[in-house]
Amino acid sequence: VQLQASGGGSAQPGGFLRLSCAASASGVEIIRMGWYRQAPGKERELVAARNTGGSTEYSDSLKGRFTISGDDAKSTVYLEMNSLRPEDTAVYYCFARFKTFRDFHYTDWGQGTLVTVSS
């Protein structure tokens, strides 16, 4: 699965950014897509994920500020980030969890997109 992310960049505290991630796949079934992030000197952490069909999961610390949505037909997910804070500064990685016809499960990652929040 190839993942193409877009929408990163800079915002001021309190601002808004929207990330998109589109998956290109053949011969496999995508079952889950979402975002992790990694700030300098910190471990990678889950931001939000969306299962095919629409159920979602969020980091407890981000729930209420970030919203994940998606379009299953386009194999695309979106992350809307509101009320941004400097501590949201990180590289955001899109991922896709998929399964093969033999029901083997794998995860592929996008290249990462930098989000910087500062005044």
Side-chain angles (χ1 to χ4, degrees), residues 25 40 51 56 85 87 117:
N51 296 317
T56 57
R85 303 169 181 171
E87 53 264 38
V117 183

Side-chain angles (χ1 to χ4, degrees), residues 18-72:
R18 186 173 187 252
L19 305 181
S20 300
C21 180
S24 298
S26 62
V28 299
E29 178 184 347
I30 295 174
I31 56 178
R32 181 177 173 93
M33 294 182 68
W35 301 88
Y36 276 71
R37 71 182 184 183
Q38 188 165 21
K42 295 189 176 181
E43 294 186 353
R44 190 174 293 194
E45 63 172 349
L46 174 69
V47 175
R50 179 183 180 278
N51 296 317
T52 300
S55 61
T56 57
E57 178 183 350
Y58 292 92
S59 164
D60 286 342
S61 65
L62 299 175
K63 201 178 297 184
R65 294 196 298 122
F66 288 17
T67 302
I68 190 169
S69 61
D71 185 333
D72 292 338

Side-chain angles (χ1 to χ4, degrees), residues 4 9 12-13 24 32 45 47-48 55 65-67 75-76 81 85 89 96-98 100 107:
Q4 182 64 48
Q12 293 188 336
S24 298
R32 181 177 173 93
E45 63 172 349
V47 175
S55 61
R65 294 196 298 122
F66 288 17
T67 302
S75 298
T76 300
M81 303 183 289
R85 303 169 181 171
T89 296
R97 183 78 173 163
F98 60 96
T100 67
T107 300

